[in-house]
Amino acid sequence: MKQNSNVPAFLSKLWTLVEDSDTNEFITWSQNGQSFLVLDEQRFAKEILPKYFKHNNMASFVRQLNMYGFRKVVHVDSGIVKQERDGPVEFQHPFFMQGQDELLENIKRKVSSVRPEEAKVRQEDISKILNNAAKVQAKQDTIDTRLFTLKRENEALWREVSDLRAKHSQQQQVIRKVPLRTEPLKRGEISDDIVIYDITDNIEDVGVKTHVSPENPDNTSAERLKCLFFSIVLQLETKGMESFRNVETFPESTEDSRKSDQQLVQYTTYPLMAFLDGDPGNLISETQTSKTNEADNLLESSLDSQPTQSKLVRLEPLTEAEANEATLFYLCELAPTPLDSDMPLLDN
Amino acid sequence: MKQNSNVPAFLSKLWTLVEDSDTNEFITWSQNGQSFLVLDEQRFAKEILPKYFKHNNMASFVRQLNMYGFRKVVHVDSGIVKQERDGPVEFQHPFFMQGQDELLENIKRKVSSVRPEEAKVRQEDISKILNNAAKVQAKQDTIDTRLFTLKRENEALWREVSDLRAKHSQQQQVIRKVPLRTEPLKRGEISDDIVIYDITDNIEDVGVKTHVSPENPDNTSAERLKCLFFSIVLQLETKGMESFRNVETFPESTEDSRKSDQQLVQYTTYPLMAFLDGDPGNLISETQTSKTNEADNLLESSLDSQPTQSKLVRLEPLTEAEANEATLFYLCELAPTPLDSDMPLLDN
Amino acid sequence: MKQNSNVPAFLSKLWTLVEDSDTNEFITWSQNGQSFLVLDEQRFAKEILPKYFKHNNMASFVRQLNMYGFRKVVHVDSGIVKQERDGPVEFQHPFFMQGQDELLENIKRKVSSVRPEEAKVRQEDISKILNNAAKVQAKQDTIDTRLFTLKRENEALWREVSDLRAKHSQQQQVIRKVPLRTEPLKRGEISDDIVIYDITDNIEDVGVKTHVSPENPDNTSAERLKCLFFSIVLQLETKGMESFRNVETFPESTEDSRKSDQQLVQYTTYPLMAFLDGDPGNLISETQTSKTNEADNLLESSLDSQPTQSKLVRLEPLTEAEANEATLFYLCELAPTPLDSDMPLLDN
DNA sequence: GACGTTCTAGAATATTCGGCT
DNA sequence: AAGCCGAATATTCTAGAACGT
């Protein structure tokens, strides 16, 4: 057989040993040539093995055989303990066959999978990993529980909301059957109606938000919004006048106050331009007078002192209607200003 | 030695074997009596072992020795491969000493207790761990999904609650206008008549929602505009409804007061729809009053004299009702104006 | 020395070899006893080594020495090439000293640290597993945070719901004090009422839904427009319905006042379909009055005479009610104006 | 079920070869 | 080129595992 093949020494030697007819007394092929027999184990070990290997132990020989995947062929009479001589020992390997030495290179020596130290380290790692996994799973259980709790809570919330909604509907049904209030608001009630301010603030809030929107380099949108704020303010003002209107219809008041109340001027002037320019505006308000020109003067002066564009409206002596009109007019003055611009409200 | 002791048969036989002077030729105590020697391994195996055990294999004998914790004593000359006869084989165990058979019961047979796992585990458990990790991650995904679902549910809940809150406010508005059974509203009860607040809030909600839409800044602006329009309409409506309400409750008033207060006008006219869309619908409202034609004339004239859109309307002198009407009309006028321009209202 | 110590055979044999005075000719301690010398390498290898080891190769002997950490002691004359016989070979190890065999057990055989294939692969597996575990845990933390957030949100929701519930109760208290309308609503009223609210709700819902539709921003805008229009119209309708309600309750008034107040008109005309379809539909409301046809005629004529969209309608002479009606109509007229601009509201 | 027998495998050391510096 | 080392195989001792008693 080839000596330069990559077949390990043991297999080469074994092959030679079994093939060699000189050693047929101790080791030889079996009948079918698919296994080999060790006929006299004792003498084979002590006389033959040392000629080929560095030992004379059958055990070492067998260990090598096992190392290369050979298996012992068990005989049916193996259990019988014979006094003199045991039966032959037989080993086989799928690639160890008489006359086919080229198969030897298919026989691979087994390698120990792990090194001792590393194995220990690995074992520690594995236990770490397992501990970790246990923790993770425990935590997942916890999370699971919490999720479930939340889910139930949400369901409860839905029930709550549904319940509230039902109650609301019930109330709504009742409310629809309620006659509305007949008498006008009392003055005191109205006086508390400071809705205007609050709404204006609200609007301003929106306006600010819009104004600072960064994506759109076109500030025009923001400006348009401001224009709309105008409108809103107008609306608010209108409402304010309504309130006043109620006051005016206050015939139930005492004569004295009534008379003097007739001249009540109501208006609400808003620092609209200031709002638009970002300048803190001049909020001019007037109260109830006895038709003196104080209010007018006040208005005028404040208007005059205003250096920029917004023309203000003169309000003097006004009837209720006039006051309303004036207020509107004032707003009208402000409103059209943007109209000269060339930016459509809805463009993109 | 005692036969009825709980010492395994192997140990008893071994002890007997070593003690027995008849077998000293093959197996005997060492010099110091702390180990024993097998002098002629081959003959010992074939001639002595079968007399005590069910085999004649040195390997089986050695296996048993190892099973009970015996260790082979290695000799310095062990490496020598002798042609004829090997040196004696020596084994020792701490509790196997000449003359001290009572120690034998301390010798315990090894049990392959729980070792099977650890060895195999290394190869197999890694895959177990990996499987486990996969499961854990799958579960995490599930949890993730559930979390997301819960999150969305919560958002929906928030919307629900917000909606309920809005509805509550609306109801509150209505309720505030309802006369209580026992006594008229006290001032405090209606002092915070925040009709506009609530509506404005609703609008704001819409507005905010629109505001945060991220895709198209331009559209966003446009939508904000729309939202504001919506606000305006709501304001107007609120006002208008209040007026109407007053009118409607009129029949319950006394005839006298009725007569004198007849001038109350209800209307609702809004230029908003013009703003919002393209196609006109015909919205016709009608009222029934016994008014003069002053307002009509005024309206007419202003309409006629209106060259384009931006013309302002002068309204005077108006009654309260007329003023209100005029206000609305004015607003109608104002609205379309910006549409023709293609420039921001307040450009910078 | 002890034979059963855990000192490897090689060290035992080496120690014996060096100590043995019989082999001093070939191997012996150096002068200071801290190293040993191999005097005649050739004869030592061929004659001495086989007596102790399973080979007669100096290289194998040296390999073992290196395996146990022995180092060759380099001589100053090593560079000189001697023709016949080399100088003695000297090896040393910190724990291999004359007379101190107890140190031998400190000498450790080197172990190959890693197995190239399998060990590395497994190590990689382990790091994979550990990385994986780290990711999983990180994700768990994330989930934890989200859970916590959700929990807090839920708590806030509960507070909201609780608050709403409280408010509801308060309202309920108020409502209980309200006298309910005595007679049941007429069918039309109820249905109308329901319509109002329901539609409003629907619209709001639709608006929201539309709002979140992400695919087509333009469509979204358009739909929002429609929604807003719809809302507006609904608001108007609401108002109009209230009028209806008043009318319906009219029968309870005295005949006289009834007669005189007959002129109350209720209407509800809404260009809803037109808006929604983008097609102008003319929805004309009917009224129930003993009115003249003036208004109707006017309306009709204006509708007929409407060439395109932007034409204004002349309304005169109008009663107060007619004026209001005109205003509304006017608004309808106003709507198309934006269409003339170069930015259609609904374009894609 | 603990013990015994057999076959095989694990584990540590031993031997050899080749390569690297 | 001497010295050291990695790696594969070899040898030895011990242990695992299957199966039987």
Side-chain angles (χ1 to χ4, degrees), chain B residues 73-81 122-123 126 129-130 133 136-137 140-141 143-144 147-148 150-151 154 157-158 161 163-165 167-168 171-172 175 178-181 209-210 213 219 223 226-227 230 233-234 237 240-241 244 248 251 255 258 263-271 273-289 291-293 296 299-300 303-304 306 309 321 325 329 332-333 336 339-340, chain C residues 3 13 16 50-54 122 129 132 136 139-140 143 146-147 150 153-154 156-157 160-161 163-164 167-168 171 174-179 201 208 211 217-218 221 224-225 228-229 231-233 235-236 238-239 242-243 246 253 257 260-265 267 269-271 275 278-280 282-283 287 291 299 303 306 309 314 316-321 323-325 327-332 334-339 341 345:
Chain B
V73 179
V74 291
H75 299 162
V76 286
D77 58 348
S78 63
I80 311 166
V81 179
R122 290 175 192 173
Q123 190 70 17
I126 285 186
I129 291 172
L130 290 176
V136 165
Q137 284 184 325
Q140 275 198 345
D141 288 344
I143 289 177
D144 236 21
L147 262 180
F148 185 70
L150 266 182
K151 194 161 172 290
N154 261 23
L157 272 171
W158 277 116
V161 167
D163 183 45
L164 279 173
R165 193 174 283 284
K167 287 188 174 176
H168 168 87
Q171 277 192 349
Q172 191 63 29
I175 289 173
V178 171
L180 295 180
R181 177 159 40 207
K209 286 177 183 173
T210 308
S213 74
N219 275 352
E223 287 163 7
K226 296 164 190 171
C227 288
F230 196 33
V233 171
L234 283 174
E237 179 178 29
M241 288 173 77
F244 270 110
E248 291 164 349
E255 294 280 327
R258 190 91 193 284
Q263 279 82 357
L264 284 173
V265 173
Q266 337 53 55
Y267 56 87
T268 30
T269 62
Y270 312 110
M273 300 188 62
F275 249 124
L276 291 173
D277 195 55
D279 239 71
N282 297 324
L283 178 53
I284 305 172
S285 82
E286 198 177 349
T287 71
Q288 172 234 341
T289 63
K291 286 258 313 186
T292 68
N293 284 351
D296 302 326
L299 280 169
E300 186 183 359
L303 287 169
D304 287 339
Q306 173 179 352
Q309 297 98 341
E325 181 180 346
F329 183 77
C332 295
E333 284 288 292
L339 298 176
D340 288 342
Chain C
Q3 297 294 356
K13 292 174 181 177
T16 303
K51 294 181 180 175
Y52 291 82
F53 307 100
K54 293 181 184 298
R122 296 210 174 177
I129 292 171
N132 185 25
V136 165
K139 185 157 191 180
Q140 275 197 343
I143 289 176
R146 290 170 63 192
L147 262 180
L150 267 181
E153 246 190 278
N154 261 23
L157 273 171
E160 286 290 329
V161 167
D163 182 44
L164 281 173
K167 286 188 175 178
H168 170 86
Q171 277 191 350
V174 174
I175 288 174
R176 287 201 185 106
K177 299 175 184 173
V178 171
D201 286 343
V208 171
H211 175 68
D218 285 329
S221 302
R224 289 202 206 103
L225 269 182
L228 287 167
F229 296 151
S231 297
I232 293 167
V233 172
Q235 302 305 329
L236 296 174
T238 300
K239 172 169 168 276
E242 291 205 65
S243 296
N246 290 331
S253 305
S257 62
S260 59
D261 287 336
Q262 286 284 27
Q263 281 82 355
L264 283 174
V265 174
Y267 56 86
T269 63
Y270 312 111
F275 260 119
D279 208 33
N282 299 324
L283 180 52
T287 69
K291 282 216 14 168
L299 280 170
L303 288 169
Q306 174 178 351
Q309 300 99 337
R314 302 291 312 278
E316 62 177 327
L318 298 173
T319 62
E320 179 184 23
N324 287 333
E325 179 180 345
T327 302
L328 283 170
F329 186 75
Y330 168 74
L331 292 170
C332 297
L334 220 50
T337 306
L339 299 176
S341 63
L345 282 175

Side-chain angles (χ1 to χ4, degrees), chain B residues 15-225:
Chain B
W15 176 268
T16 302
L17 208 46
V18 175
E19 283 279 278
D20 188 356
S21 57
D22 291 346
T23 60
N24 279 0
E25 185 184 357
F26 306 104
I27 180 171
T28 181
W29 290 106
S30 66
Q31 288 291 85
N32 56 18
Q34 300 198 343
S35 63
F36 70 91
L37 303 173
V38 174
L39 300 175
D40 189 341
E41 184 181 319
Q42 303 227 357
R43 288 186 62 198
F44 170 77
K46 298 305 173 193
E47 301 177 16
I48 306 301
L49 282 182
K51 294 180 180 175
Y52 291 81
F53 308 101
K54 295 190 164 115
H55 62 88
N56 58 3
N57 304 315
M58 189 62 187
S60 296
F61 180 65
V62 172
R63 184 70 190 89
Q64 279 288 66
L65 289 174
N66 285 323
M67 210 67 158
Y68 283 95
F70 286 75
R71 313 303 302 256
K72 185 169 185 176
V73 179
V74 291
H75 299 162
V76 286
D77 58 348
S78 63
I80 311 166
V81 179
K82 295 166 183 170
Q83 198 66 15
E84 62 273 37
R85 184 84 68 261
D86 291 321
V89 181
E90 186 176 355
F91 280 90
Q92 66 83 24
H93 187 286
F95 294 134
F96 193 82
M97 293 192 293
Q98 190 172 23
Q100 299 190 240
D101 59 348
E102 70 278 6
L103 293 180
L104 289 183
E105 57 190 16
N106 295 319
I107 301 177
K108 297 302 177 189
R109 197 177 197 267
K110 293 180 181 175
V111 179
S112 70
S113 57
V114 276
R115 263 311 190 194
E117 297 180 12
E118 213 174 328
K120 285 185 179 178
V121 158
R122 290 175 192 173
Q123 190 70 17
E124 296 174 359
D125 263 8
I126 285 186
S127 40
K128 281 187 182 176
I129 291 172
L130 290 176
N131 285 338
N132 184 27
K135 285 181 187 173
V136 165
Q137 284 184 325
K139 183 158 190 179
Q140 275 198 345
D141 288 344
T142 303
I143 289 177
D144 236 21
T145 305
R146 290 170 63 194
L147 262 180
F148 185 70
T149 304
L150 266 182
K151 194 161 172 290
R152 301 246 293 198
E153 245 189 279
N154 261 23
E155 289 167 0
L157 272 171
W158 277 116
R159 283 193 293 272
E160 287 291 327
V161 167
S162 175
D163 183 45
L164 279 173
R165 193 174 283 284
K167 287 188 174 176
H168 168 87
S169 294
Q170 281 178 317
Q171 277 192 349
Q172 191 63 29
Q173 291 171 222
V174 175
I175 289 173
R176 286 197 184 111
K177 295 164 190 166
V178 171
L180 295 180
R181 177 159 40 207
T182 56
E183 52 203 339
L185 283 175
K186 286 193 171 60
R187 181 187 164 182
E189 294 176 52
I190 52 171
S191 63
D192 51 347
D193 186 348
I194 43 174
V195 173
I196 293 177
Y197 276 102
D198 293 332
I199 290 177
T200 303
D201 284 344
N202 289 339
I203 296 305
E204 278 186 359
D205 285 345
V206 177
V208 170
K209 286 177 183 173
T210 308
H211 176 70
V212 294
S213 74
E215 306 86 4
N216 197 335
D218 285 328
N219 275 352
T220 303
S221 301
E223 287 163 7
R224 286 199 212 106
L225 275 179

Side-chain angles (χ1 to χ4, degrees), chain A residues 42 46 50 54-56 81-83 86 119 123 126 129-130 133 136-137 140-141 143-144 147-148 150-151 154 157-158 161 164-165 168 171-172 175 178-182 185 188-189 191-192 195 198-199 202 206 209-210 213 215-216 219-221 223-229 231-232 234-236 238-239 241-242 245-246 248-249 276 320-321 324-325 328-329 331-333 335-336 338-339 341-346 348, chain B residues 42-43 46 50 54-57 81-83 86 118 122 126 129 132 136 139-140 143 146-147 150 153-154 156-157 160-161 163-164 167-168 171 174-179 185 187 190-191 193 196-197 200 204 208 211 217-219 221-222 224-225 228-229 232 235-236 239 242-243 245 248-249 252 264 275 310 312 314-320 323-324 326-327 330-331 334 337-339 341-348:
Chain A
Q42 303 230 358
K46 297 305 174 192
K54 294 180 185 298
H55 64 85
N56 57 3
V81 179
K82 295 166 184 170
Q83 199 65 16
D86 293 320
Q123 197 57 34
I126 287 180
I129 291 171
L130 290 176
V136 165
Q137 284 183 326
Q140 275 198 344
D141 288 344
I143 288 176
D144 238 18
L147 262 181
F148 185 70
L150 267 182
K151 194 158 172 293
N154 261 24
L157 272 171
W158 277 115
V161 166
L164 280 174
R165 196 175 282 284
H168 169 88
Q171 277 192 351
Q172 191 64 30
I175 287 173
V178 170
L180 298 176
R181 182 163 51 199
T182 57
L185 288 174
E189 298 168 8
S191 66
D192 281 339
V195 175
D198 293 331
I199 288 177
N202 289 339
V206 177
K209 285 178 185 171
T210 307
S213 73
E215 314 86 0
N216 197 347
N219 278 343
T220 61
S221 302
E223 307 300 346
R224 276 185 252 128
L225 278 180
K226 291 174 186 171
C227 179
L228 288 167
F229 295 152
S231 299
I232 293 168
L234 283 171
Q235 306 306 327
L236 296 177
T238 299
K239 173 172 178 293
M241 292 199 282
E242 284 201 277
R245 190 192 318 137
N246 288 332
E248 291 163 351
T249 60
L276 292 170
E320 178 183 26
N324 286 332
E325 179 183 348
L328 285 170
F329 183 77
L331 294 169
C332 293
E333 285 288 3
L339 299 177
S341 61
D342 48 0
M343 184 62 195
L345 280 174
L346 299 172
N348 38 350
Chain B
Q42 303 227 357
R43 288 186 62 198
K46 298 305 173 193
K54 295 190 164 115
H55 62 88
N56 58 3
N57 304 315
V81 179
K82 295 166 183 170
Q83 198 66 15
D86 291 321
E118 213 174 328
R122 290 175 192 173
I126 285 186
I129 291 172
N132 184 27
V136 165
K139 183 158 190 179
Q140 275 198 345
I143 289 177
R146 290 170 63 194
L147 262 180
L150 266 182
E153 245 189 279
N154 261 23
L157 272 171
E160 287 291 327
V161 167
D163 183 45
L164 279 173
K167 287 188 174 176
H168 168 87
Q171 277 192 349
V174 175
I175 289 173
R176 286 197 184 111
K177 295 164 190 166
V178 171
L185 283 175
R187 181 187 164 182
I190 52 171
S191 63
D193 186 348
I196 293 177
Y197 276 102
T200 303
E204 278 186 359
V208 170
H211 176 70
D218 285 328
N219 275 352
S221 301
R224 286 199 212 106
L225 275 179
L228 288 167
F229 293 144
I232 294 167
Q235 303 304 330
L236 294 176
K239 171 172 168 268
E242 290 203 67
S243 298
R245 193 179 311 127
E248 291 164 349
T249 59
E252 299 156 10
L264 284 173
F275 249 124
S310 61
L312 294 179
R314 301 294 313 276
L315 304 174
E316 61 179 330
L318 297 173
T319 64
E320 177 186 23
N324 286 332
T327 302
Y330 166 73
L331 293 169
L334 217 53
T337 307
L339 298 176
S341 62
D342 46 0
M343 183 173 169
L345 289 173
L346 295 172
D347 81 350
N348 43 353

